[in-house]
Amino acid sequence: MAVDAVIIGLGYVGLPLAQEASRVGKTVLGLDINEGVVADLNAGRSHVDDLSDADIAAMIEAGFEATTDESRIAEAKAVVICVPTPLAEDGGPDLGAVESAVGMVARHIHPGMLVILESTTYPGTTDEVVRPALEAGGLVAGQDFHLVFSPERIDPGNEKFGAKNTPKVVGGHTPACTEAGAAFYGAFVDTVVPTKGTREAETAKLLENTYRHINIALVNEMARFCHELDIDLWDVIEAAKSKPFGFQAFYPGPGVGGHCIPIDPNYLSYNVRARLGYPFRFVELAQEINSGMPAYVVSRAQDILNEEGKALKGSTVLLLGVTYKPNIADQRESPAVPLAKQLAAKGAIVRYHDPHVSTWRAVPEAQRVDDAAAAAGEADLTVLVQSHREYDVDALAQAARTFFDTRGVVTESDKVTRL
């Protein structure tokens, strides 16, 4: 029996996509190399924040199945590649997982198949890396099979926008490929946005996240000099965003994290340098500023303790929230990691609390505490790194000896210093 879609990569991107396709009656097969993930899904257990065990059970009831068997790609009408593309050592994207997935598809491709890449990468990847591998067996993209790039736009933990109601950008190798991709997604996504081709779709994703990266860097740099000039930046932002046009509010923080902002703009910067021989200066400066924020927070923490007559070395510092964004368990590229490591390197005793993280493998030297309020009362300094909804931040600030709010969410208190 033919499968409507095989989705390769069952993480934060692939699994919500599989859910939406299953909901409209498509027969969906999930393919992943992680045997544990496959076993858990087939047993009805979710491993991502945005889907519950009940969601997985409903998918299975609708016909969803997970497998590690790549030969089943041959059954598919469409294949969607949703594998990670981390940064390589040279600053470009590590396409190892993409190349592996494309190799699987190439071994089982057949005439009429729709092949879609969703993994974020540099402009030209679909045409220069994916297409030659798929055409190696003799089939031609745009003639014998359809080839599309459609960037993932999943925002883990976003309760307003998900895979269904986030507009889907679709760029095909040919206009007919674009139409095929649009028809596939149009069955379960509310809005499809076609582009001229694959390169435009690839670049659109990078522009989205570069825009955010640069604007976050802007307010992070403003946070530094506003502190020196005794200006309340949070109040400044509130005033500025009262303008009903021409301004979008961005907020400072202890750094940027997740699978997009710290990584995707670097693909564009790398591509500009590699192909054109000059730097994308906005991106490189933004990266320098944002990656330096954990060190800035450490410096501010040291100053706060000094004002209390204490040295950072030997002081207990409690970090509240160590995930990369609020209300989820995702720790990818979390700025809490370099923050904790730099505190420990300067001799601080680092403890942490996070309702979503039971074991912080990235920072094994940090001790987990169960009671945030009690730990805040014992710590020399408490730093709010991530403002989870489970936290009563005002109560925690009152319980703390000294409280450093890097998110600007605590109301006025004589114990609180804001970033």
Side-chain angles (χ1 to χ4, degrees):
M1 182 179 69
V3 174
D4 289 319
V6 168
I7 296 176
I8 304 177
L10 299 175
Y12 286 86
V13 175
L15 207 54
L17 183 69
Q19 179 188 37
E20 294 302 335
S22 297
R23 280 175 170 169
V24 298
K26 287 188 178 292
T27 305
V28 180
L29 178 68
L31 176 63
D32 201 287
I33 61 173
N34 189 317
E35 295 181 357
V37 165
V38 168
D40 281 346
L41 289 173
N42 286 331
R45 293 186 295 270
S46 177
H47 64 288
V48 301
D49 290 295
D50 291 342
L51 276 75
S52 65
D53 290 351
D55 290 327
I56 303 301
M59 290 169 61
I60 293 172
E61 189 174 345
F64 173 78
E65 177 189 355
T67 184
T68 59
D69 182 6
E70 72 164 72
S71 69
R72 298 198 60 189
I73 292 172
E75 305 171 29
K77 298 177 183 177
V79 179
V80 188
I81 298 171
C82 304
V83 296
T85 47
L87 282 180
E89 290 185 6
D90 63 358
D94 180 349
L95 295 181
V98 168
E99 291 169 341
S100 176
V102 171
M104 294 180 187
V105 178
R107 288 189 284 273
H108 306 285
I109 195 169
H110 56 73
M113 181 179 277
L114 168 64
V115 182
I116 303 171
L117 176 64
E118 286 207 5
S119 305
T120 306
T121 185
Y122 62 84
T125 301
T126 306
D127 187 52
E128 298 166 7
V129 177
V130 178
R131 183 171 63 86
L134 296 178
E135 291 182 337
L139 298 182
V140 178
Q143 296 180 26
D144 303 307
F145 67 94
H146 295 299
L147 178 61
V148 167
F149 182 81
S150 179
E152 62 89 3
R153 282 174 157 177
I154 293 295
D155 183 20
N158 192 321
E159 297 176 356
K160 184 177 180 181
F161 291 104
K164 182 177 180 358
N165 65 347
T166 301
K168 202 80 176 76
V169 171
V170 176
H173 177 62
T174 65
C177 292
T178 301
E179 289 180 12
F184 172 77
Y185 286 114
F188 56 90
V189 176
D190 293 343
T191 305
V192 174
V193 182
T195 63
K196 281 187 174 182
T198 57
R199 292 171 189 265
E200 286 76 15
E202 289 163 338
T203 309
K205 172 62 185 293
L206 300 184
L207 175 59
E208 294 168 19
N209 287 328
T210 298
Y211 169 81
R212 292 173 62 197
H213 189 47
I214 289 171
N215 280 281
I216 291 168
L218 170 64
V219 293
N220 277 336
E221 187 159 40
M222 288 190 72
R224 297 188 181 212
F225 70 70
C226 280
H227 170 66
E228 296 296 329
L229 297 174
D230 196 24
I231 297 170
D232 187 337
L233 177 60
W234 306 94
D235 192 54
V236 170
I237 295 171
E238 286 302 305
K241 77 177 187 181
S242 66
K243 186 179 181 181
F245 54 89
F247 180 82
Q248 180 181 354
F250 287 83
Y251 298 91
V256 294
H259 62 301
C260 290
I261 303 302
I263 296 175
D264 295 0
N266 290 292
Y267 298 161
L268 197 51
S269 176
Y270 173 85
N271 197 234
V272 170
R273 273 191 178 275
R275 291 176 179 250
L276 303 178
Y278 56 79
F280 190 168
R281 290 182 292 171
F282 265 121
V283 169
E284 295 186 5
L285 180 58
Q287 180 66 20
E288 179 185 332
I289 293 168
N290 287 336
S291 63
M293 286 307 290
Y296 176 69
V297 171
V298 171
S299 176
R300 288 284 303 277
Q302 196 164 19
D303 291 343
I304 293 167
L305 286 168
N306 283 343
E307 290 175 5
E308 298 290 323
K310 300 175 181 177
L312 179 58
K313 184 176 182 179
S315 289
T316 299
V317 179
L318 172 66
L319 304 181
L320 297 178
V322 298
T323 58
Y324 91 86
K325 67 182 297 187
N327 311 320
I328 63 171
D330 196 341
Q331 302 170 45
R332 289 176 293 176
E333 307 298 327
S334 172
V337 174
L339 173 57
K341 289 184 174 180
Q342 290 177 41
L343 286 168
K346 289 184 176 294
I349 301 165
V350 181
R351 294 177 180 170
Y352 80 96
H353 178 276
D354 194 305
H356 302 276
V357 179
S358 57
T359 303
W360 198 12
R361 294 184 178 87
V363 190
E365 61 268 35
Q367 178 188 352
R368 188 181 191 279
V369 299
D370 295 322
D371 188 327
E378 296 171 358
D380 295 293
L381 176 64
T382 298
V383 183
L384 180 66
V385 183
Q386 200 55 262
S387 183
H388 294 303
R389 67 165 64 95
E390 290 88 348
Y391 288 148
D392 182 341
V393 290
D394 288 328
L396 287 168
Q398 287 299 319
R401 294 181 184 179
T402 308
F403 197 91
F404 186 18
D405 176 12
T406 71
R407 295 295 178 178
V409 295
V410 182
T411 55
E412 290 299 320
S413 169
D414 57 1
K415 296 180 180 180
V416 176
T417 300
R418 293 203 290 186
L419 186 66

